[in-house]
Amino acid sequence: MSRIVGIDLGTTNSLVAYVDEKTGLPRVIPDRDGHALLPSIVSFANEGVLVGAAARRQLVRRPESTVYSVKRLMGRSYEDVKEELCYFPFKVLPCEGIVKIRIGSREVTPPEVSAIVLKSLKERAEAHFGETIEKAVVTVPAYFNDSQRQATKDAGRIAGLDVVRILNEPTAASLAYGLQRIREGVVAVYDLGGGTFDISILRVKDGVFEVLATNGNTRLGGDDFDRALVVWLLDDIREKHGVYLGRDLEAMQELRLAAEAAKIRLSSDERTALTIPFDAFTYHREITRSELERLIERLVDSTLAPCRMALADAGLASADIDEVVLVGGSTRVPLVRRRVQELFGKTPHSQLNPDEVVALGAAVQAHILAGGITNMLLLDVTPLSLGIETLGGIVSVLIPRNTTIPTNARELFTTSVDGQRVVDMHVVQGERELAKDCRSLARFELSGVDPMPAGMPKIEVVFLIDANGILQVTATELRTGKAAAIEVKPTYGLSDADVERMVEESFAYAEADVEARLLIETRNEADTVITHVERALAQGSHLVAADERRAIVEALDALRGARDGSDRDLIREATTAMNHATEHLAEIMMDAALKGALASRRAGEIMEK
Ligand code: ADP
Ligand code: MG
């Protein structure tokens, strides 16, 4: 049985843990200096690559070649992250749907940077056990989409680790607390780290976890607290010393580190002093906890809406929550604890070190997978709905959001154009009615379809989400029997991936979206009628009188005009008028068709005799 370690690959800090065979308890593996937390920072110096604390020391001296918070870039496109790039002193460039980081003449991808962090943890574990480590459970925020999860697996592969399971961080945390021992109950896991916020509502029953709902914000964490404090310090420095340091990279990094250190001290102290020696002057300032709280209050309060949304998705009230678990270094901030306690009306669990619980839980999951613990099941849910774009850009959802995974779904589709040989498949993720407002996940072609009239082909689309939350889509044309299976590689080329915003927008635009969907459906109906009438005119216009023909053509023009407008009632009226104008023609043609059919049957009967 090969050993599997648990790894928390964090935005800010990463850790590796294992389950001690003797005690059965999970433990983090410290480095030679006794530090469990490895800062997720990589510095590309001329002499070689530095990682962790050594890289962190380069933040000030080499800001352009020291990469931090790379988790924010994992599996994302330039479009996704361009607004955040102003916070990074290193150069981020678009590159075939993903981003690359330019360090001098060198270019690296986010998974390559993460792999350096993973490799360092792998080596730490290997030194600890005196054996090669090849397998790991790696955690990701619950809101990571498929591409971000895939990028995380890639990082493992590059580091020489087989990522046997991608585990949601809140799920891991609940395992670390051993909450499987509760006979039955509902747990809220509140995880505020350096760069991400996750809230998860889990049900525990007879040793089984089920994630009822998840929500959060992939762009909120302790980094934002630091930033708020830095902005405040910049103002104060300008007032006191008459200089604005906002464009000085080195000074900004210095300020960032000083701000974070002060913030951390203010979690235990009521007031603290800040001294930063710059070249021209030394900046000194006292700051109190309540001053900090005023700066970050809005950020802290913004975590409460996702909590309420998760509760609503789970169909629960805050009074239904039995246990609250705090995860992430930022939950050490007293204001955060107060707000969480107020919201749920109970004292949260915080016995375990909040920045270690995720790694500890990953170790427990690794132990389960390695066969150390049996009869425990872990269920997760899909953070966003998954579907296919259909005619007119409408989304057909196959797997609704918050569906327990692993899961699969299948649905039948058909073509809208006669003789179609190639069917474009567009897989989207999101809560909006129209594909253009959702996140584009993958596009592929189902080709080699036998030409058939529109509506005849039967295209079966199957969605499969495995236990790691990775999505596979296949499309098969059933009628011809020639099953063409398609493999979808989750692309890194993504549009908007901010899940929280997408969910919020789905509420904000609900009415407009439904209206847009109804308009498209009405237009699709009109298009079908137009096609039928055009075909009927081509085949049977000689069957009706000239003025009747003229009336049909006029109704057709009117319908075409209405169809291009956006007045749903007008399109429907024109469609009705069109049907009315062609009633007689349809009757005649039906008659002709029937007579033809009868005639041939008679002919057949005669022949039989
Ligand atoms: P991540 O999961 O994003 O890697 P962590 O859970 O390690 O992050 O949390 C890192 C964040 O926690 C940083 O923003 C750090 O400043 C913050 N943090 C750590 N300790 C404290 C503390 N005592 N008080 C306030 N914030 C803290
Ligand atoms: Mg974390």
Side-chain angles (χ1 to χ4, degrees):
M1 187 180 82
S2 71
R3 196 184 293 275
I4 311 176
V5 293
I7 292 179
D8 173 5
L9 183 60
T11 311
T12 321
N13 297 301
S14 299
L15 302 88
V16 57
Y18 70 104
V19 169
D20 186 336
E21 290 293 340
K22 279 186 231 109
T23 61
L25 292 174
R27 312 176 64 143
V28 296
I29 306 176
D31 65 7
R32 261 168 304 171
D33 302 326
H35 299 300
L37 268 60
L38 176 73
S40 310
I41 304 174
V42 176
S43 186
F44 297 85
N46 294 334
E47 311 84 84
V49 177
L50 299 172
V51 59
R56 194 187 171 116
R57 281 191 286 275
Q58 302 297 316
L59 278 176
V60 173
R61 217 172 334 135
R62 295 181 216 270
E64 311 87 357
S65 56
T66 304
V67 183
Y68 64 91
S69 289
V70 74
K71 192 168 173 179
R72 288 176 180 269
L73 304 176
M74 290 283 278
R76 311 193 80 192
S77 72
Y78 190 77
E79 276 298 301
D80 290 337
V81 296
K82 66 171 190 265
E83 266 138 47
E84 297 181 60
L85 296 183
C86 55
Y87 297 111
F88 289 128
F90 46 85
K91 190 109 188 91
V92 177
L93 309 161
C95 172
E96 291 169 30
I98 63 164
V99 294
K100 282 203 168 180
I101 302 155
R102 176 171 294 159
I103 313 286
S105 59
R106 186 172 171 178
E107 282 183 356
V108 288
T109 61
E112 283 170 332
V113 176
S114 287
I116 295 167
V117 174
L118 286 176
K119 197 140 181 287
S120 172
L121 293 174
K122 173 176 147 70
E123 285 162 5
R124 187 192 283 190
E126 286 173 342
H128 178 89
F129 293 114
E131 62 185 68
T132 335
I133 303 291
E134 282 164 346
K135 291 182 177 176
V137 167
V138 180
T139 59
V140 296
Y143 275 80
F144 256 29
N145 61 42
D146 298 298
S147 304
Q148 290 167 301
R149 284 167 198 262
Q150 193 62 52
T152 304
K153 285 193 112 178
D154 289 350
R157 196 173 33 77
I158 298 165
L161 279 172
D162 176 15
V163 178
V164 292
R165 176 67 58 95
I166 295 278
L167 183 65
N168 281 346
E169 288 158 13
T171 308
S174 65
L175 268 181
Y177 271 103
L179 293 179
Q180 69 272 21
R181 287 189 282 273
I182 297 173
R183 215 157 55 82
E184 187 172 351
V186 182
V187 185
V189 182
Y190 180 103
D191 179 349
L192 190 60
T196 53
F197 168 60
D198 279 320
I199 177 76
S200 297
I201 313 291
L202 306 113
R203 186 192 299 288
V204 190
K205 198 174 182 230
D206 301 327
V208 176
F209 285 101
E210 185 182 6
V211 182
L212 298 178
T214 65
N215 210 305
N217 185 340
T218 52
R219 294 181 198 179
L220 182 68
D223 292 351
D224 301 290
F225 296 175
D226 303 346
R227 237 169 252 150
L229 187 49
V230 166
V231 168
W232 186 80
L233 291 172
L234 280 173
D235 275 352
D236 192 56
I237 292 170
R238 175 148 52 184
E239 218 165 89
K240 283 217 183 85
H241 299 277
V243 282
Y244 177 67
L245 296 173
R247 272 176 290 275
D248 179 338
L249 288 184
E250 287 211 8
M252 282 296 281
Q253 291 288 17
E254 200 80 70
L255 275 171
R256 227 176 64 87
L257 293 178
E260 186 189 6
K263 171 194 76 176
I264 288 175
R265 288 196 298 276
L266 287 173
S267 287
S268 46
D269 304 343
E270 284 294 338
R271 58 175 61 239
T272 190
L274 214 125
T275 304
I276 313 171
F278 291 112
D279 290 343
F281 58 92
T282 292
Y283 174 66
H284 183 84
R285 162 97 219 190
E286 278 242 325
I287 175 166
T288 65
R289 183 186 292 171
S290 52
E291 277 172 319
L292 176 70
E293 286 183 349
R294 265 199 299 280
L295 293 174
I296 63 170
E297 190 169 20
R298 234 169 31 91
L299 293 165
V300 175
D301 286 349
S302 74
T303 64
L304 302 178
C307 292
R308 294 196 190 96
M309 276 201 264
L311 280 172
D313 279 344
L316 296 172
S318 58
D320 298 323
I321 302 296
D322 300 304
E323 313 278 338
V324 181
V325 173
L326 290 180
V327 183
S330 299
T331 61
R332 286 213 182 89
V333 173
L335 177 65
V336 172
R337 295 196 173 190
R338 280 208 306 277
R339 288 292 190 268
V340 175
Q341 176 147 2
E342 280 160 18
L343 179 71
F344 294 106
K346 29 190 78 67
T347 312
H349 282 280
S350 53
Q351 310 93 302
L352 292 175
N353 191 337
D355 22 42
E356 289 181 2
V357 284
V358 169
L360 296 174
V364 173
Q365 172 72 77
H367 196 53
I368 295 169
L369 291 173
I373 303 174
T374 47
N375 76 37
M376 204 198 309
L377 205 68
L378 279 182
L379 302 172
D380 274 324
V381 298
T382 54
L384 287 168
S385 302
L386 293 158
I388 284 278
E389 175 172 356
T390 61
L391 190 60
I394 297 176
V395 176
S396 169
V397 170
L398 273 89
I399 300 176
R401 121 192 175 78
N402 280 331
T403 299
T404 306
I405 60 168
T407 188
N408 64 71
R410 64 191 63 223
E411 202 154 305
L412 282 182
F413 295 91
T414 189
T415 55
S416 56
V417 177
D418 287 342
Q420 211 171 310
R421 287 176 160 276
V422 176
V423 183
D424 285 322
M425 307 295 303
H426 185 197
V427 185
V428 295
Q429 187 175 41
E431 306 313 310
R432 303 283 299 274
E433 298 272 350
L434 301 185
K436 71 174 172 61
D437 298 319
C438 287
R439 188 178 148 258
S440 174
L441 207 61
R443 283 177 192 274
F444 64 94
E445 281 183 353
L446 172 61
S447 52
V449 175
D450 280 359
M452 278 181 259
M456 284 293 282
K458 282 190 175 173
I459 296 156
E460 184 190 54
V461 175
V462 179
F463 275 38
L464 192 87
I465 305 181
D466 68 14
N468 296 328
I470 306 243
L471 170 73
Q472 268 191 319
V473 180
T474 55
T476 316
E477 207 289 296
L478 297 178
R479 204 176 273 274
T480 52
K482 274 187 283 168
I486 268 96
E487 203 189 289
V488 188
K489 295 191 190 76
T491 56
Y492 290 174
L494 308 166
S495 56
D496 276 327
D498 189 341
V499 172
E500 193 210 9
R501 200 203 61 234
M502 286 169 77
V503 173
E504 273 175 4
E505 281 181 0
S506 76
F507 293 122
Y509 293 108
E511 221 173 297
D513 275 8
V514 168
E515 190 53 42
R517 184 190 187 106
L518 288 174
L519 175 62
I520 290 168
E521 282 172 353
T522 313
R523 276 185 185 154
N524 288 346
E525 263 173 54
D527 285 341
T528 309
V529 171
I530 290 171
T531 313
H532 283 152
V533 173
E534 282 168 347
R535 212 179 283 159
L537 277 178
Q539 291 170 6
S541 65
H542 60 281
L543 298 172
V544 291
D547 53 344
E548 192 176 334
R549 194 158 57 236
R550 205 176 313 119
I552 292 174
V553 171
E554 267 166 26
L556 188 58
D557 283 345
L559 179 56
R560 284 197 189 112
R563 185 250 173 255
D564 292 336
S566 51
D567 186 336
R568 207 147 44 81
D569 293 336
L570 209 67
I571 303 173
R572 203 170 300 118
E573 277 163 27
T575 307
T576 312
M578 184 77 258
N579 284 332
H580 205 70
T582 50
E583 244 167 29
H584 183 227
L585 174 63
E587 233 168 71
I588 298 171
M589 289 185 70
M590 192 105 79
D591 253 19
L594 269 178
K595 276 182 195 134
L598 286 174
S600 68
R601 193 155 74 212
R602 267 190 217 118
E605 280 164 7
I606 289 163
M607 283 206 5
E608 258 176 37
K609 282 184 180 165

